Amino acid sequence: MVTAHQVLRTAQKYLGMTMGSKAHRDMVDRYNRVLPRPVGYVAKYSDDWCDIFVTAVGDEAGATDLIGRECGVQRHIHVFAGLVIWLGRVYPQAGDIVCFDWDGGGFADHIGFVEAAIGSTITTIEGNASRRVARNRFAWNDWRIKGYARPKYGRVRKGADKTVDQLAQEVLDRQWGNGADRKQRLESAGYDYQLVQDRVNQLVAQRNLGEGKTESVEVGASVRVADWATHW
């Protein structure tokens, strides 16, 4: 069963991709190759492509049946409703799909993935955000947000009652130990250690960036996020 983590990992691969680039054209081509196409439409490289991005990421991650396929955001909300995953304006979680109505006119015109929800703020990954795939941040209940869909992903563990964000915060609060002990305790509890640790690393990196720290995160560097974050 496809997890939210797998879908977000796929979306993250495309951060920085720009409209008109080879990667963008390849994505549109992949979207068009899956038949039948939504409303029979052959997408063009010049089209608005936020929903093509969401659909193509879902296809690549193996989550087509969970997310559906569309190139029009308002139509995609109807697809979400048919899949019984449209929640409207509720507090979201990582892996949800967020739909925007920029002018408040009632017609959804933009879409993306919720990468994280911390407190009152969400981090998104969106295609066609100023003609590129980019991260953005919003209040979770920003007036421009029409609502959220929550695909029926596989859980971190069967019967899990905590989200990855909750577990990551517990790690930061030093409730799960360090290093190998943390890994053993999380896995013994039935959780996906790497999924939780990846989120911890991201939160620590964001916090240090906000504090002006410049720890190296490059592969091969003497200090890596995956290493220095394990003490949290």
Side-chain angles (χ1 to χ4, degrees), residues 3-186:
T3 66
H5 177 66
Q6 290 170 318
V7 170
L8 290 174
R9 280 290 199 188
T10 303
Q12 289 162 354
K13 289 183 356 183
Y14 293 98
L15 285 166
M17 184 182 78
T18 58
M19 184 172 181
S21 66
K22 182 179 185 302
H24 169 252
R25 297 194 304 272
D26 287 346
M27 176 171 283
V28 174
D29 290 343
R30 290 197 304 275
Y31 172 90
N32 283 329
R33 281 197 293 268
V34 180
L35 302 176
R37 301 183 188 97
V39 297
Y41 181 71
V42 180
K44 302 178 178 63
Y45 301 142
S46 57
D47 287 341
D48 289 338
W49 50 281
C50 59
D51 208 356
I52 291 172
F53 172 71
V54 167
T55 297
V57 165
D59 290 343
E60 184 175 341
T64 303
D65 292 344
L66 305 180
I67 292 174
R69 310 190 78 253
E70 254 301 343
C71 57
V73 183
Q74 187 64 37
R75 290 193 305 270
H76 213 151
I77 290 176
H78 294 302
V79 172
F80 296 148
L83 292 169
V84 198
I85 63 171
W86 178 249
L87 303 179
R89 286 173 60 85
V90 302
Y91 188 79
Q93 62 188 39
D96 285 359
I97 298 170
V98 55
C99 296
F100 297 86
D101 173 7
W102 292 131
D103 62 6
F107 188 87
D109 42 30
H110 189 60
I111 192 169
F113 292 100
V114 176
E115 184 180 33
I118 306 289
S120 62
T121 303
I122 62 169
T123 303
T124 63
I125 300 177
E126 305 159 42
N128 202 28
S130 299
R131 297 171 61 87
R132 60 197 295 266
V133 178
R135 282 191 176 99
N136 287 300
R137 290 180 174 82
F138 301 89
W140 77 267
N141 57 352
D142 187 295
W143 68 270
R144 296 166 295 181
I145 292 176
K146 189 173 180 69
Y148 299 90
R150 182 165 301 159
K152 297 174 182 177
Y153 301 118
R155 291 180 177 271
V156 177
R157 68 176 174 90
K158 186 176 180 181
D161 55 358
K162 294 181 180 179
T163 67
V164 173
D165 284 340
Q166 287 173 324
L167 289 165
Q169 189 57 56
E170 288 181 359
V171 168
L172 292 172
D173 291 339
R174 305 180 188 276
Q175 296 181 33
W176 289 90
N178 299 312
D181 176 56
R182 176 188 302 167
K183 184 175 187 295
Q184 188 274 328
R185 290 173 63 186
L186 283 167

Side-chain angles (χ1 to χ4, degrees), residues 163-213:
T163 67
V164 173
D165 284 340
Q166 287 173 324
L167 289 165
Q169 189 57 56
E170 288 181 359
V171 168
L172 292 172
D173 291 339
R174 305 180 188 276
Q175 296 181 33
W176 289 90
N178 299 312
D181 176 56
R182 176 188 302 167
K183 184 175 187 295
Q184 188 274 328
R185 290 173 63 186
L186 283 167
E187 290 181 346
S188 293
Y191 291 108
D192 184 329
Y193 163 78
Q194 194 58 55
L195 180 61
V196 176
Q197 187 61 50
D198 285 349
R199 184 63 184 137
V200 171
N201 294 345
Q202 184 182 51
L203 291 174
V204 173
Q206 289 173 352
R207 186 179 69 179
N208 283 355
L209 182 63
E211 294 175 354
K213 296 181 181 179

